[in-house]
Amino acid sequence: MKNIIWAAVYFALATIITSYFIKQGAALYSSHNKMILSANIAGAKWAIQIIAAVLFLNEKKWLFIKLIAFNCFIGSCFLLPYTLFSTIRSVDCSFFASLIISVLFMIIIYYKVVQQIAISKWWFWSWLCCLCIAIYLQTTIVFVIF
């Protein structure tokens, strides 16, 4: 039960921080709908992992979900410098730099989670695949960079 509560707390905090980050970067989005789409894409990769864990991990599922929720929270915390410092925010590149740093740390932490609880590396590679799809969608549909 403790793992479920902590997972909910970490995901809730991550959602609040990420939503604030998206709101602070509002000028970079072409519409309010793109902001909502961006948030949904960001959350979808976590939702896919949670659903897969519930379906396939049996006794390790809630520990895994708690640890990836903590990973999500840590990744969101790396977005905070952009949201808190207006001088940094004045540079559009800092928005994307915050995202890149966040993603790099989440990749490392996610890999360590998989190792720590001794589950198949498939979990790491499946999340990394979801992450690549999310990045592709963000860059092509939300920000139309490519």
Side-chain angles (χ1 to χ4, degrees):
M1 185 64 159
K2 190 167 89 169
N3 287 334
I4 297 170
I5 293 167
W6 278 110
V9 168
Y10 290 138
F11 275 127
L13 290 172
T15 300
I16 291 166
I17 294 168
T18 302
S19 297
Y20 185 67
F21 173 76
I22 290 170
K23 185 178 178 191
Q24 292 300 308
L28 299 173
Y29 294 92
S30 62
S31 71
H32 184 70
N33 287 341
K34 295 279 182 151
M35 287 174 60
I36 293 169
L37 179 60
S38 181
N40 286 325
I41 291 169
K45 68 184 172 297
W46 297 107
I48 291 167
Q49 291 293 297
I50 292 167
I51 292 166
V54 168
L55 293 175
F56 301 115
L57 279 183
N58 301 323
E59 70 278 350
K60 293 183 179 183
K61 68 183 162 198
W62 292 113
L63 174 60
F64 176 75
I65 292 169
K66 178 190 84 171
L67 293 174
I68 65 168
F70 181 72
N71 184 14
C72 183
F73 168 68
I74 293 299
S76 296
C77 288
F78 279 103
L79 303 175
L80 285 174
Y82 173 81
T83 63
L84 298 177
F85 303 108
S86 60
T87 56
I88 293 172
R89 230 184 336 199
S90 65
V91 180
D92 290 347
C93 292
S94 67
F95 180 86
F96 294 106
S98 294
L99 284 172
I100 291 167
I101 292 166
S102 173
V103 166
L104 291 176
F105 275 93
M106 285 191 297
I107 290 170
I108 294 165
I109 295 168
Y110 199 101
Y111 186 79
K112 291 185 180 289
V113 165
V114 168
Q115 284 184 317
Q116 177 185 343
I117 60 175
I119 58 175
S120 168
K121 298 275 191 293
W122 176 88
W123 289 93
F124 171 75
W125 292 110
S126 68
W127 179 77
L128 199 58
C129 182
C130 288
L131 178 63
C132 289
I133 292 167
I135 290 169
Y136 174 78
L137 293 173
Q138 294 278 8
T139 58
T140 58
I141 297 172
V142 175
F143 295 108
V144 194
I145 295 172
F146 300 109

